[in-house]
Amino acid sequence: METILSTVSLRRLQVFLNVCETLHMARAAERLAISQPALSQQIRGLEHALGVQLFHRRKRGIDLNAAGEACRIEAERLLALH
């Protein structure tokens, strides 16, 4: 777990939680004042760092999968410590 956390920034976890709240990449990007492609790239980078897919992607939006839900819980816990 320690090596995974060293490759995942707190900012990336905040971005991930924003996506979890909206369950929509474009809306989350708007809230974060970044472009949607940049947001998607950050989420893909997080998934790559963790070695797991976090969302079920649909044509109109996304849903958290089981791994995403576990990651959301841990991200909230970690960010609460800072």
Side-chain angles (χ1 to χ4, degrees):
M1 183 74 154
E2 191 67 35
T3 57
I4 291 172
L5 291 179
S6 66
T7 63
V8 176
S9 70
L10 293 178
R11 172 70 180 151
R12 196 178 282 184
L13 292 178
Q14 290 169 328
V15 166
F16 168 70
L17 288 177
N18 255 287
V19 174
C20 292
E21 289 173 16
T22 63
L23 292 177
H24 196 279
M25 290 290 195
R27 285 188 207 124
E30 188 176 312
R31 285 174 76 181
L32 294 164
I34 61 175
S35 71
Q36 189 272 327
L39 175 63
S40 293
Q41 186 176 24
Q42 286 189 41
I43 295 299
R44 280 192 305 274
L46 176 62
E47 289 174 327
H48 179 75
L50 297 175
V52 65
Q53 192 171 2
L54 301 170
F55 297 96
H56 294 290
R57 287 160 172 86
R58 299 177 284 117
K59 284 186 177 187
R60 296 279 181 193
I62 55 177
D63 294 310
L64 278 172
N65 61 24
E69 181 61 26
C71 185
R72 182 193 61 77
I73 292 167
E74 282 301 304
E76 288 174 345
R77 186 185 67 77
L78 288 169
L79 290 173
L81 296 174
H82 285 91

